[in-house]
């Protein structure tokens, strides 16, 4: 035996590789010993595992408390919404909808699924993606005895406890416990409170279709609550259909009844707590979304409460921004002027280090829960021009196919005429109807040959569109993402792409402009400084800064944006004080008006738009506040809001120079403006 366990190496009487390999008998014996050892370890661990006598933190829910950046309390949210419901009062169709979705073999298994265990344990042990596969019994154990952490040790404990619990409790008892402790989103624990939260009904009144939707939420309410986003709605409908089909497949729903459920059972909108009125609810929602995405705390665990969330929001800035919006919107006459109805504003201030300092999400969170500071359906319009300019300065342009890329300078002269034809390296850009595409300047004005710096400062469309084509729209898109816009903000890459067809939120636009104020450094916007749980650290922290642009490139963009204020398209913003920069913008079709600008330490974006309440689609701003389209309709409102707000906060601290002060201020009218100066870079 000792010889088998401790063979001599190299093995005598063998040649080559066989001298170093164990024999078949030795390998078999080694495997047998390994299997016996593993079995013994499992038996010992199983024997030592005890079903806990105390419930976990689920039994002691608390409020979650949110704080301003200065540490004073901002809001309390909670407690957990839950109410037990006996199993015999939960319709059989609702029970089987859950079982069909989560564990169809519940009544025949022994508390665990070997296949599911193997998949989940392997994934966690190798650092792979978290896997499903837990039975109802395992999920119940996780809900009431353990925690939501996806660790190998927790999974092993869950398995052993589930097997023992399956012997100790009846299947109906386990299902009863599971249905009354599972998280369904909207702060609701248990199927009874979920029925109230989503349908305003007692669970005993729900049908199989509504039960299938509630079962859908068990896969992750943050992804399947239809009220959160259109993407959530699409996922929910697909999963709802799948659950109903699954019920038919396992024989718990007749094909005839399934055929009657063709319309998705839309849940009601979530209620808005009175304590979150005004802007507070928007702030809490923004912080909550950051925690869900970056805080490392699951939604169901967070809803149990006991967390202290220290946000980045500053009360003085928040109050000043809200006041500026309300003062400006007071000039609308919705009762007598149709174009003044359904006007909305989204605004956000983001410090250059990424902190979201303030936002305006709507008139009142209780009346309008949809957050316009986070809205992502409003075209950026001509406020997109700095990203086109930055891409060209960083990457250069391609004027002829297969030729090397050529560097660009701010003095490069482009055609600023109205209806200038759009060019590609092969020649004119032709539309699908066989016409050469041209670009229309605001008011139909022709500027003649114009340097790029001035084109940006004056918000002239023709040079910006052509610059985007010369740079390459794929490179413009990449530069925009590098600056801080989200990859899913963009549409089709056609010439109008450079005129801001992208739909970033005001938060993202402010963060992206802050990149130019910060000498090319970008930190993704964040709203939570730190999180504690009962006083102990539990998450949060500042994202890491990136440097997508050199200080030289960022400085040139910054210079053009200062020039826009000192004598260009943004000259009204000069009333905010020294050291400010920015540019106004109007979207194609007059669908939105923006102003995005910054001081040395903070960028603020203001978007004005109209939404049809019946279709939730954008409507033109033409005629808003009584201004015709020819006067950049509505665009005076964003710049006025920004100026009121910035002025209320005070000028930059003494001794802080305007970032563009070292360069020639203002939009110059020197010889470069009419194209007679030396062209120091390529142009059209």
């Amino acid at each position: 035996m000792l010889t088998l366990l401790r063979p001599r190496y190299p093995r005598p009487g063998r040649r080559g590789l066989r001298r170093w390999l164990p024999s078949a008998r030795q390998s078999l014996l080694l495997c047998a010993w390994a299997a016996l050892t593993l079995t013994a370890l499992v038996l010992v661990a199983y024997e030592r595992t005890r079903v806990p006598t105390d419930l976990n933190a689920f039994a002691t829910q608390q409020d979650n408390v949110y704080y301003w950046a200065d540490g004073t309390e901002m809001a309390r949210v909670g407690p957990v919404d839950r109410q037990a419901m006996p199993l015999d009062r939960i319709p059989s169709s609702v029970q089987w909808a859950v079982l069909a979705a989560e564990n169809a073999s519940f009544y025949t298994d022994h508390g665990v699924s070997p296949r599911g265990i193997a998949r989940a344990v392997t994934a966690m042990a190798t650092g792979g993606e978290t896997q499903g596969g837990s039975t109802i019994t395992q999920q119940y154990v996780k809900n009431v005895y353990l925690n939501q952490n996806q660790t190998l040790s927790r999974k092993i404990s869950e398995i052993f406890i589930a097997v023992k619990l399956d012997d100790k409790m009846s299947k109906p008892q386990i299902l009863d416990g599971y249905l009354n402790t599972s998280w369904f989103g909207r702060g609701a624990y248990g199927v009874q409170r979920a029925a109230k939260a989503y349908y305003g009904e007692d669970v005993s009144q729900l049908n199989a279709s509504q039960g299938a939707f509630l079962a859908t939420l068990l896969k992750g309410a943050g992804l399947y609550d239809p009220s959160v986003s259109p993407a959530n709605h699409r996922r929910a409908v697909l999963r709802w259909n799948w659950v109903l089909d699954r019920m038919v497949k396992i024989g718990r729903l007749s094909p005839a009844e399934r055929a009657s459920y063709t319309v998705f059972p839309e849940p009601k909108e979530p209620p808005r707590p009175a304590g979150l009125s005004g802007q507070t609810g928007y702030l809490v929602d923004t912080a909550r979304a950051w925690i869900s995405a970056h805080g490392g705390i699951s939604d169901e665990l967070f809803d149990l409460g006991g967390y202290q969330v220290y946000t980045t929001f500053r009360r003085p800035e928040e109050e000043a921004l809200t006041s500026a919006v309300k003062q400006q919107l007071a000039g609308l006459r919705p009762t007598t002027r149709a174009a003044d109805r359904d006007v909305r504003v989204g605004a956000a201030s983001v410090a250059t280090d990424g902190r979201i300092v303030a936002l305006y999400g709507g008139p009142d969170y209780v009346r309008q829960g949809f957050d316009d500071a986070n809205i992502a359906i409003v075209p950026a319009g001509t406020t997109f021009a700095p990203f086109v300019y930055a891409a060209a300065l960083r990457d250069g342009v391609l004027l002829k196919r297969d030729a090397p890329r050529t560097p660009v300078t701010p003095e490069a002269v482009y055609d600023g005429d109205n209806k200038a034809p759009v060019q590609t390296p092969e020649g004119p850009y032709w539309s699908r109807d066989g016409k050469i595409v041209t670009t229309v300047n605001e008011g139909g004005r022709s500027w003649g040959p114009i340097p790029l710096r001035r084109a940006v400062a004056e918000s002239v469309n023709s040079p910006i569109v052509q610059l985007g084509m010369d740079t390459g729209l794929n490179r413009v898109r990449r530069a925009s993402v590098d600056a801080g816009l989200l990859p899913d903000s963009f549409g089709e890459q056609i010439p109008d792409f450079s005129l801001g067809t992208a739909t970033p939120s005001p938060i993202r636009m402010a963060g992206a402009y802050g990149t130019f104020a910060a000498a090319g450094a970008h930190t993704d916007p964040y709203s939570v400084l730190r999180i504690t749980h009962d006083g102990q650290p539990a998450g949060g922290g500042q994202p890491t800064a990136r440097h997508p642009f050199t200080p030289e490139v960022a400085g040139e963009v910054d210079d053009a944006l200062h020039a826009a204020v000192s004598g260009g398209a943004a000259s009204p913003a000069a009333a905010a004080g020294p050291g400010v920069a920015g540019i106004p913008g109007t979207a194609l079709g007059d669908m939105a008006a923006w102003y995005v600008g910054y001081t040395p330490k903070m960028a603020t974006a203001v978007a004005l738009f109209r939404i049809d309440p019946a279709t939730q689609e954008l409507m033109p701003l033409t005629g808003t506040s009584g201004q015709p389209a020819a006067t950049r309709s509505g665009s005076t409102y964003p710049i006025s809001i920004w100026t009121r707000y910035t002025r209320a906060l005070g000028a930059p601290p003494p001794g802080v120079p305007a970032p563009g002060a070292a360069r020639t201020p203002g939009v110059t009218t020197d010889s470069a403006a009419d194209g007679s100066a030396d062209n120091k870079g390529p142009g059209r």
Side-chain angles (χ1 to χ4, degrees), residues 491-544:
E492 187 179 6
Q493 292 186 8
I494 57 177
D496 283 347
F497 184 87
S498 296
L499 296 180
T501 58
T503 56
S505 69
I507 289 176
R508 283 287 167 175
M509 279 296 278
Y513 266 58
T515 304
F516 305 124
H522 176 75
T523 304
D524 281 340
Y526 66 103
S527 55
V528 175
L529 294 169
R530 59 189 175 94
I531 308 168
T532 60
H533 187 269
D534 295 332
Q536 299 301 312
Q542 181 175 345
T544 303

Side-chain angles (χ1 to χ4, degrees), residues 166-179:
D166 192 70
D167 289 334
K168 183 178 179 180
M169 297 174 64
S170 68
K171 290 291 188 179
Q173 286 177 315
I174 294 173
L175 183 59
D176 181 293
Y178 174 74
L179 291 174

Side-chain angles (χ1 to χ4, degrees), residues 409 411-413 675 677-684:
T409 68
E411 294 78 21
V413 176
D678 291 337
N679 180 5
K680 298 182 181 179
R684 290 284 190 179

Side-chain angles (χ1 to χ4, degrees), residues 130 157 205 251 420 516 519 535 600 607 621 623:
T130 299
S157 297
Q205 304 301 311
F516 305 124
L621 285 169

Side-chain angles (χ1 to χ4, degrees), residues 417-422 437-441 460-463 465-466 495-496 499:
D417 283 347
N418 186 51
K419 296 186 177 181
V422 177
V437 173
T438 60
T439 305
V440 177
N441 290 333
V460 185
N461 291 347
S462 294
V465 170
Q466 187 58 58
D496 283 347
L499 296 180

Side-chain angles (χ1 to χ4, degrees), residues 374-447:
N374 282 288
I375 197 169
I377 63 171
V378 182
T382 45
T383 55
F384 191 76
F387 306 123
V388 182
Y389 189 40
L393 292 170
R394 184 179 71 175
D395 298 343
V397 295
L398 182 66
L399 302 179
K400 293 183 179 180
R401 184 64 62 198
D402 300 325
R405 298 187 70 85
T406 307
V408 168
T409 68
E411 294 78 21
V413 176
Y414 269 66
D415 186 353
D417 283 347
N418 186 51
K419 296 186 177 181
V422 177
Q423 301 289 326
T424 72
E426 290 84 12
Y429 186 95
W430 297 85
S431 65
R432 293 176 181 175
D433 59 2
K435 297 180 180 179
I436 294 176
V437 173
T438 60
T439 305
V440 177
N441 290 333
E442 185 173 343
R445 178 178 176 181
S446 287
W447 294 75

